[in-house]
Amino acid sequence: MLKTVATITAATLILTGLTHPLGADESSAEFFRKDREYWSKGLIPPASPSWAGSIDYTAIKSQPRSDVAKMVADEARLRLGVQHVESALRLTKLESGFRCHVLGPKTRHGRAVGPLQVLPSSARALGVYNMQGNCKAQITAGILHMQKCLSVGARAYNQLAACHVAGWGGWNKKLNRKATAYRAQYVRMAQASKPPSWAGTLR
């Protein structure tokens, strides 16, 4: 049986942040990091970058975000169909702000990589083995994950978002209380995620 592996957002499931709004350019991982380290302890987080994780500086120089968005749109159009391009752009905006070579927070599953923040184990399950320093492969892994989600019945955008965070085996299943709340919060953030105006020409 194929091991179901969730993509990025494998942060600690502390959900006191439910009452806090997502910043305009804040990633989902950064939101949950603030929840774990500050809100859950009654503290106010300091000003921080709008995305979590770090850049892998051993990789090639990262492409401009407009180029990354175009690559995501092209790959989504090719593999998913034009009707799912906007969904791919919205999830990429939420996960990395259209940045290549982003390394997500350390988790027991490893560190998610790339614009759509896919765990290496998830990428391997989808047949992608060369994500290190390869933005195209990172994007392909994310779009293939979306393709797998579509194949198991996640059609609407909110369903794709749930599948992106909970995996194709957990997007529509009953989970424990914390995991269910975590998935629901991620879907709310995904619904609020809008691509920048210039990305409208890519659809």
Side-chain angles (χ1 to χ4, degrees):
M1 176 184 243
L2 183 65
K3 182 180 178 182
T4 300
V5 195
T7 48
I8 188 169
T9 31
T12 305
L13 302 178
I14 302 172
L15 293 166
T16 53
L18 287 170
T19 59
H20 296 271
L22 180 73
D25 290 315
E26 189 170 53
S27 74
S28 57
E30 176 67 3
F31 178 92
F32 286 113
R33 182 190 70 80
K34 288 178 180 178
D35 188 35
R36 181 180 69 247
E37 297 180 7
Y38 296 98
W39 294 322
S40 64
K41 300 173 184 177
L43 303 174
I44 298 175
S48 64
S50 60
W51 52 281
S54 58
I55 295 289
D56 179 5
Y57 288 107
T58 65
I60 58 174
K61 185 177 180 180
S62 187
Q63 288 89 337
R65 288 190 285 175
S66 58
D67 290 354
V68 175
K70 185 178 186 305
M71 292 166 67
V72 170
D74 289 347
E75 191 77 4
R77 192 178 297 109
L78 175 67
R79 295 183 183 272
L80 310 178
V82 67
Q83 68 272 30
H84 297 296
V85 171
E86 182 170 352
S87 295
L89 290 170
R90 290 174 72 179
L91 287 176
T92 307
K93 167 70 162 51
L94 177 62
E95 290 292 359
S96 69
F98 301 107
R99 293 174 173 88
C100 289
H101 317 306
V102 173
L103 298 175
K106 292 180 180 179
T107 75
R108 62 191 178 92
H109 300 294
R111 299 183 75 175
V113 180
L116 280 153
Q117 290 289 275
V118 180
L119 289 167
S121 54
S122 296
R124 289 192 295 271
L126 295 164
V128 179
Y129 297 89
N130 60 334
M131 290 201 299
Q132 178 70 25
N134 188 334
C135 188
K136 177 67 164 59
Q138 294 166 11
I139 290 169
T140 296
I143 298 302
L144 285 174
H145 191 280
M146 290 184 68
Q147 187 179 61
K148 179 67 176 180
C149 289
L150 287 167
S151 75
V152 297
R155 301 287 178 176
Y157 175 64
N158 64 332
Q159 294 173 332
L160 285 170
C163 189
H164 188 76
V165 71
W168 50 81
W171 71 274
N172 63 346
K173 299 294 191 300
K174 184 176 181 180
L175 305 175
N176 65 48
R177 182 182 62 82
K178 283 188 176 181
T180 297
Y182 180 76
R183 181 179 62 190
Q185 173 64 4
Y186 181 87
V187 170
R188 282 191 289 272
M189 291 190 294
Q191 289 173 331
S193 176
K194 306 295 182 187
S197 58
W198 48 260
T201 60
L202 302 175
R203 298 170 200 167

